[in-house]
Amino acid sequence: MSRFQKFIPISSLLFLLFSINSCVKDQGKIDPPVAMTACDSMHVTYALVIKPIITANCAVSGCHVPGGSGNGDFTTYAGIKGKFDSGALNDRLFVQHNMPAAGPIDADDLKRIRCWMNALAPNN
């Protein structure tokens, strides 16, 4: 068997291994929703992003709702904006880290809230 004939099967095998490996690496990859590597206040809106976070974590039964024990009504934009304007929202979430009482808000959601606050908490 000539040297060239030995090279063909080895090179074919290497090509096949590299091809399979490159396909396997792509499987199962899912792009994350609204990656928060940078603050994009055009995509972090009150209505579509912030309100659902607040509703799930703060404006829950017995807490920041009308008649709840929480200081303020977070079921409305005006209620959460008042806490932003006074600095209480920033203090409780990012300084004292003691809200919500049920447990910490997801790190990406905190980044989204920070982004919205950096844009001066618009009602968008």
Side-chain angles (χ1 to χ4, degrees):
M1 189 182 265
S2 75
R3 210 170 174 199
F4 180 71
Q5 289 172 327
K6 289 180 185 178
F7 177 74
I8 291 175
I10 292 173
S11 63
S12 298
L13 180 63
L14 288 174
F15 175 77
L16 181 63
L17 286 174
F18 285 122
S19 297
I20 291 171
N21 189 35
S22 67
C23 292
V24 170
K25 286 183 181 180
D26 290 339
Q27 289 180 353
K29 288 187 179 180
I30 299 172
D31 293 331
V34 187
M36 289 307 299
T37 55
C39 181
D40 182 358
S41 59
M42 293 300 294
H43 291 99
V44 180
T45 65
Y46 172 75
L48 295 176
V49 177
I50 302 304
K51 185 173 176 137
I53 296 169
I54 298 300
T55 299
N57 293 281
C58 310
V60 295
S61 179
C63 222
H64 292 283
V65 295
S69 63
N71 184 2
D73 175 7
F74 290 2
T75 61
T76 66
Y77 171 77
I80 195 81
K81 180 70 160 95
K83 293 298 178 184
F84 167 78
D85 290 342
S86 72
L89 184 64
N90 182 68
D91 187 48
R92 295 302 209 103
L93 288 176
F94 298 104
V95 177
Q96 295 177 15
H97 303 283
N98 62 356
M99 282 292 140
I105 295 176
D106 176 78
D108 282 339
D109 285 343
L110 282 174
K111 288 178 186 176
R112 290 177 180 97
I113 292 170
R114 171 64 77 196
C115 180
W116 176 72
M117 289 172 61
N118 287 343
L120 302 179
N123 187 7
N124 54 1

